[in-house]
Amino acid sequence: MDSQRTKVDSYGALRYPEFRAFLGVRFFLTFAYQMQAAAVSWYVFHITHDKFSLGLIGLAEAIPAVGIALYGGYVADKSEKTRLLKTILLTFFTGSGVMFVVTLPSMVQRLGQGHVVWIIFLMIFLMGIGRGFLGPTVFAMVARIVPRELYPNSSTWSTTAFQVASIVGPAAGGLLIGFAGVPVTFGVILFFLVMSFSCIFFLSHSPPVYVPKESIYKSLDEGIKFVFGNKMMLGAMSLDLFSVFFGGAVALLPAIASEVLHVGAKEFGIMRATPAVGAVIVMVASARFSPMNKPWQNLLLAVTGFGASIICYGLSTNYYLTLLFLFCEGAFDSVSVIIRQTLMQLLTPDTMRGRVSAVNSMFIGSSNEIGAFESGFTARLMGTVPAVLFGGCMTLGIVTVTYLKTKMLVPLGLGDIQVPNQPPPASK
């Protein structure tokens, strides 16, 4: 009776104080990260006036994040996760702190704009290392905070917190750059990183449920084989990887704002926030109207809408019409995120959460940054608008190929998905 009530409780996960603290960590960190992404892209583009530099920002973060992801998952599985999360947050604080210092007018004058840009790239690289550990650590922690029957609900609220921060962060970044300048923006970023760090102290210790008895290489290989042996999990990761890789046109928004729509920093901030507005509205609705009735069918439809939205705002020359299509892009993307995160939580044994999340990070965690590089590169070759249209068309092509190869998964409901046996929970 109680179990059934929990399953239909839209606020079930939020009734756990530790989960609320976890949401605080994620919200404030994402807010700071999204502010920084907007500030860095605007600052670097207006120093270099080079669209390709926007792609290099993503590449500087993706290389270390992908390169260290598997090891990050191994460490997350065998470590006390609350302490590990503190170390990761300190890495982010260091990177943002250095960017705050070097963008001060006196330091820019002393170092020169060219050197400042390279220091920013170096700090993004450092934070990319932190991201390689962050994803597996967070994924493993949330599974210990709420009971298994609340995984779909916790995924919805966790992603909602992420998307709300993704709305406010870029908008605040754009407005602060326009009214107060880049150094003040980085100062606010540091403040919210401190807020995120403070929430960690409300989390209990999260001891490892996995004690490695074999070599690190065999342990990592076990995680890789698990993912590649699960057709639905592998298909979801692959679909998201390639669709976001070719659909990373959001990285070109500074160029679209300046060259196509002829608007400034404040309007750019609104543009960066608009996809997340659509995402949050859908996320809140999903807490009551779940897209998990036929997850694979709904995933394919969501990615189709995502690709179509990219094509539409690539063709738009009207600022408000562009906002509408960016809104739709975020709405469709949020459905994809909810489905994929829920499937991963349900299909992953507790003892492998860090390593499976690490493989997911290699597929998806840095696909936005690699997609940003692809968009910047194609924009240099083709121009801004053709690069956006190319990305949207490739996304639709990938959905078509995925559908043809996974037709047998389309009619499956959530109850048809085979869930692996779970070990008993570790004693506290």
Side-chain angles (χ1 to χ4, degrees):
M1 181 78 172
D2 291 339
S3 175
Q4 180 64 26
R5 183 187 62 191
T6 302
K7 289 181 181 179
V8 299
D9 187 356
S10 300
Y11 305 97
L14 294 177
R15 302 190 192 283
Y16 289 76
E18 194 170 356
F19 182 72
R20 296 197 297 269
F22 169 82
L23 288 186
V25 174
R26 188 166 198 199
F27 175 83
F28 291 122
L29 175 59
T30 304
F31 184 93
Y33 174 81
Q34 293 293 340
M35 277 191 70
Q36 182 170 282
V40 167
S41 63
W42 184 263
Y43 185 74
V44 170
F45 180 72
H46 280 79
I47 286 179
T48 64
H49 300 287
D50 181 10
K51 291 184 282 287
F52 187 58
S53 66
L54 297 173
L56 291 177
I57 293 172
L59 192 65
E61 185 171 357
I63 288 175
V66 172
I68 207 168
L70 279 178
Y71 180 69
Y74 172 79
V75 171
D77 273 339
K78 73 183 189 71
S79 301
E80 198 284 305
K81 295 162 189 61
T82 305
R83 184 169 59 247
L84 180 59
L85 187 59
K86 292 178 182 177
T87 303
I88 295 167
L89 263 291
L90 287 175
T91 302
F92 278 83
F93 187 85
T94 300
S96 297
V98 171
M99 284 191 271
F100 166 71
V101 171
V102 300
T103 55
L104 293 170
S106 58
M107 291 300 294
V108 174
Q109 187 176 6
R110 180 178 300 178
L111 296 172
Q113 289 184 335
H115 288 98
V116 170
V117 170
W118 280 109
I119 293 172
I120 288 175
F121 279 130
L122 181 62
M123 291 303 102
I124 291 171
F125 187 92
L126 173 66
M127 296 170 81
I129 296 175
R131 271 195 59 190
F133 291 90
L134 179 64
T137 303
V138 168
F139 182 76
M141 283 186 74
V142 71
R144 305 281 292 174
I145 294 173
V146 298
R148 183 175 182 80
E149 62 268 19
L150 289 177
Y151 285 173
N153 186 256
S154 66
S155 293
T156 297
W157 285 114
S158 178
T159 308
T160 299
F162 174 86
Q163 294 293 354
V164 170
S166 297
I167 292 175
V168 185
L175 292 172
L176 278 172
I177 292 170
F179 285 107
V182 172
V184 172
T185 304
F186 277 112
V188 175
I189 289 167
L190 290 174
F191 170 77
F192 280 99
L193 286 175
V194 171
M195 292 291 289
S196 178
F197 190 84
S198 66
C199 291
I200 299 177
F201 292 95
F202 294 93
L203 299 175
S204 62
H205 286 285
S206 182
V209 294
Y210 166 70
V211 179
K213 299 178 181 179
E214 65 279 345
S215 70
I216 182 174
Y217 302 105
K218 186 174 180 181
S219 178
L220 294 176
D221 183 60
E222 184 182 4
I224 295 172
K225 285 181 177 178
F226 177 82
V227 171
F228 278 80
N230 190 301
K231 190 176 184 67
M232 181 169 281
M233 183 179 289
L234 180 63
M237 289 184 183
S238 302
L239 178 62
D240 199 77
L241 167 66
F242 290 109
S243 63
V244 174
F245 176 78
F246 289 110
V250 70
L252 298 177
L253 287 184
I256 293 173
S258 296
E259 299 175 359
V260 179
L261 303 176
H262 307 292
V263 295
K266 303 176 189 65
E267 291 82 4
F268 162 71
I270 295 172
M271 290 171 65
R272 282 286 275 108
T274 298
V277 174
V280 167
I281 291 174
V282 171
M283 293 285 179
V284 173
S286 296
R288 184 165 295 275
F289 306 103
S290 173
M292 299 302 296
N293 58 324
K294 289 190 175 180
W296 198 252
Q297 171 187 287
N298 293 337
L299 181 63
L300 293 176
L301 291 173
V303 179
T304 300
F306 175 77
S309 299
I310 292 172
I311 294 173
C312 289
Y313 75 70
L315 293 171
S316 173
T317 56
N318 179 275
Y319 177 68
Y320 296 102
L321 199 57
T322 300
L323 292 181
L324 172 63
F325 295 131
L326 287 170
F327 176 93
C328 294
E329 179 194 38
F332 285 117
D333 187 43
S334 68
V335 177
S336 169
V337 171
I338 290 171
I339 295 172
R340 180 171 45 79
Q341 286 193 352
T342 302
L343 289 176
M344 281 191 61
Q345 289 284 3
L346 290 173
L347 294 173
T348 306
D350 288 338
T351 55
M352 301 183 67
R353 291 190 179 279
R355 284 165 290 165
V356 170
S357 178
V359 177
N360 179 63
S361 295
M362 295 185 69
F363 272 77
I364 297 164
S366 292
S367 56
N368 286 316
E369 288 73 29
I370 298 173
F373 175 75
E374 180 272 335
S375 295
F377 181 72
T378 54
R380 170 177 277 190
L381 294 178
M382 305 177 179
T384 302
V385 172
V388 175
L389 298 178
F390 172 77
C393 291
M394 289 297 295
T395 299
L396 294 182
I398 288 161
V399 176
T400 302
V401 172
T402 303
Y403 168 74
L404 294 174
K405 289 184 172 294
T406 60
K407 285 183 179 180
M408 73 292 298
L409 299 177
V410 171
L412 295 182
L414 190 61
D416 301 318
I417 298 174
Q418 188 174 12
V419 178
N421 292 327
Q422 298 290 323
S427 59
K428 295 186 179 180

